[in-house]
Amino acid sequence: MSSATLIDRFGRRIEYLRLSVTDRCDLRCVYCIPEGFKDFEEPAHWLTFDELERLLGLFARLGLKRVRFTGGEPLLRRNVTELARRVASLPGIEDLSLSTNATQLAPHAEALKAAGVTRLNVSLDSLDAERVARINGRPVLGQVLAGLEAGRAAGFAPIKINMVAMQENVDEIDRMVEYCIDRGFILRLIELMPMGDTARKMGYVDLQPIKEQLRRRFGLVDALLPGGGPARYLATPDRRFTVGFITPISQHFCDTCNRVRLTVDGVLHLCLGQEARVEFRPLLRGGASDAEIVETIRHAIDMKPERHEFRDAPEKVLRFMNMTGG
Ligand code: SAM
């Protein structure tokens, strides 16, 4: 079979895939799935574990090294631990991580760790119970904090806290910093991306001034973290605290983008902020050979856009984040 690299037209090596294992979620964050939303993918269209294992196995033969389960809320997919075990065992896959809202993490943490998930990203927009209920649509702060403690006890490292910066929670950033220092978590502050109507209506908080304030207040210096993600990191000189900034709007990071995203129904999105996509379900269910699927993967990578246009064309992406996976 062809050589083990996937390089796009702009010379970027694609070795990271985010898999949305379900588009459903138990939360209704103000910037994501709207209350009352019903247009979820039909279960008959969800790629099965066998289909996912085959497809990701072929990606891995072409140089895929890292996979992250996301969603929707990945822990809502039944037997997700079994899927984790299968993906983590694929030859070539070096790293399996999970993005979760942690509401269901406590009962699953140990099994996920044993299955081969090593790293966790947990969404936490506030440490105030009422705010969480308002921003995330459900009163779940207690459950999320319990999930985080279970994740820590199970030995996940690092655990990163994803906080989307909004007018409603910027006053809490210092408190979140203290919380992360206490627990040994890495904080990541995220600019709201204009995905779907919900987020577009809210506007974003520019993280550049906040970054400079934190730099001064905590004496932070530039830091590098392995993992190839989009965040730019700062840390205290003793590395006791690290904070990352994901700034798709104020400073995009497309030139180093190494990732693609696969939806639960088998659509490969080549860019979070563009419509370029390729469907794999018809191939997987239509008897395509491995060689045909490999050729389609290569063709898809050739379609990867140079960059998103969240700033210049914010009206462009109609889907919500749960569909593509954050
Ligand atoms: N439910 C899982 C979780 O909470 O991590 C995985 C999916 S969720 C869509 C992934 C991340 O995307 C979350 O941290 C969420 O806050 C973030 N997110 C959702 N919509 C967003 C938007 N419009 N802009 C920026 N981040 C967004």
Side-chain angles (χ1 to χ4, degrees):
M1 198 176 284
S2 19
S3 65
T5 50
L6 284 172
I7 296 182
D8 76 359
R9 291 173 296 151
F10 306 98
R12 298 171 296 195
R13 187 181 296 257
I14 309 305
E15 46 188 29
Y16 181 15
L17 183 140
R18 291 193 169 202
L19 172 63
S20 175
V21 296
T22 176
D23 59 350
R24 292 164 200 242
C25 191
D26 52 337
L27 301 186
R28 288 292 176 272
C29 301
V30 284
Y31 45 74
C32 196
I33 311 176
E35 226 26 279
F37 179 81
K38 295 213 167 51
D39 204 10
F40 292 107
E41 204 45 62
E42 285 180 37
H45 292 168
W46 299 353
L47 294 193
T48 63
F49 289 1
D50 285 346
E51 289 166 340
L52 285 169
E53 190 176 9
R54 177 175 179 216
L55 184 55
L56 295 194
L58 292 172
F59 266 97
R61 274 201 238 164
L62 292 171
L64 182 74
K65 292 190 169 57
R66 288 201 288 269
V67 176
R68 171 177 295 278
F69 286 180
T70 176
E73 173 44 45
L75 299 185
L76 296 188
R77 177 91 187 241
R78 195 173 305 153
N79 295 332
V80 71
T81 306
E82 165 62 10
L83 181 63
R85 194 189 56 71
R86 286 165 73 161
V87 170
S89 318
L90 287 170
I93 298 299
E94 296 169 2
D95 179 48
L96 176 62
S97 55
L98 173 75
S99 285
T100 175
N101 61 33
T103 60
Q104 320 280 318
L105 183 58
H108 291 291
E110 278 188 22
L112 285 164
K113 185 75 178 33
V117 178
T118 53
R119 303 186 293 121
L120 286 183
N121 286 5
V122 174
S123 303
L124 184 61
D125 293 328
S126 170
L127 288 164
D128 177 277
E130 276 174 30
R131 268 193 191 174
V132 166
R134 213 165 39 238
I135 296 174
N136 307 110
R138 304 285 182 270
V140 290
L141 180 64
Q143 263 166 270
V144 172
L145 296 182
L148 275 163
E149 289 310 320
R152 212 153 64 112
F156 288 100
I159 295 179
K160 295 179 184 160
I161 301 295
N162 281 341
M163 178 182 189
V164 174
M166 290 162 275
Q167 292 306 344
E168 179 151 15
N169 67 356
V170 276
D171 62 342
E172 256 194 271
I173 290 179
D174 284 356
R175 186 174 172 204
M176 196 67 90
V177 170
E178 307 288 352
Y179 169 79
C180 289
I181 291 176
D182 275 357
R183 302 287 188 299
F185 297 152
I186 292 173
L187 177 61
R188 299 189 335 152
L189 300 172
I190 303 176
E191 281 174 358
L192 193 70
M193 296 172 234
M195 305 221 22
D197 277 348
T198 39
R200 218 179 341 265
K201 283 193 196 120
M202 295 176 61
Y204 79 106
V205 171
D206 184 342
L207 287 178
Q208 303 302 334
I210 293 175
K211 185 169 158 184
E212 293 319 311
Q213 277 161 24
L214 287 177
R215 193 196 287 277
R216 283 195 300 274
R217 171 137 196 249
F218 293 92
L220 304 176
V221 295
D222 289 336
L224 265 185
L225 233 68
R232 292 182 169 83
Y233 288 97
L234 297 180
T236 49
D238 62 3
R239 295 290 186 272
R240 212 164 68 85
F241 172 61
T242 302
V243 55
F245 298 84
I246 301 186
T247 54
I249 318 295
S250 66
Q251 191 179 20
H252 74 78
F253 33 76
C254 304
D255 50 343
T256 56
C257 180
N258 61 353
R259 68 197 51 200
V260 289
R261 295 176 160 85
L262 186 66
T263 63
V264 67
D265 57 326
V267 178
L268 190 75
H269 285 267
L270 285 313
C271 172
L272 195 54
Q274 299 276 8
E275 295 295 342
R277 65 177 85 187
V278 173
E279 288 194 34
F280 281 88
R281 194 176 76 241
L283 292 175
L284 291 163
R285 298 201 175 162
S289 66
D290 284 359
E292 284 168 309
I293 294 178
V294 161
E295 197 179 321
T296 308
I297 294 174
R298 289 203 178 280
H299 165 70
I301 298 302
D302 274 346
M303 289 168 55
K304 188 169 167 62
E306 186 173 12
R307 49 164 302 195
H308 67 67
E309 294 165 286
F310 285 140
R311 194 194 263 273
D312 316 326
E315 70 294 344
K316 203 155 183 170
V317 179
L318 301 177
R319 54 183 192 269
F320 302 106
M321 193 69 106
N322 71 304
M323 300 177 180
T324 333

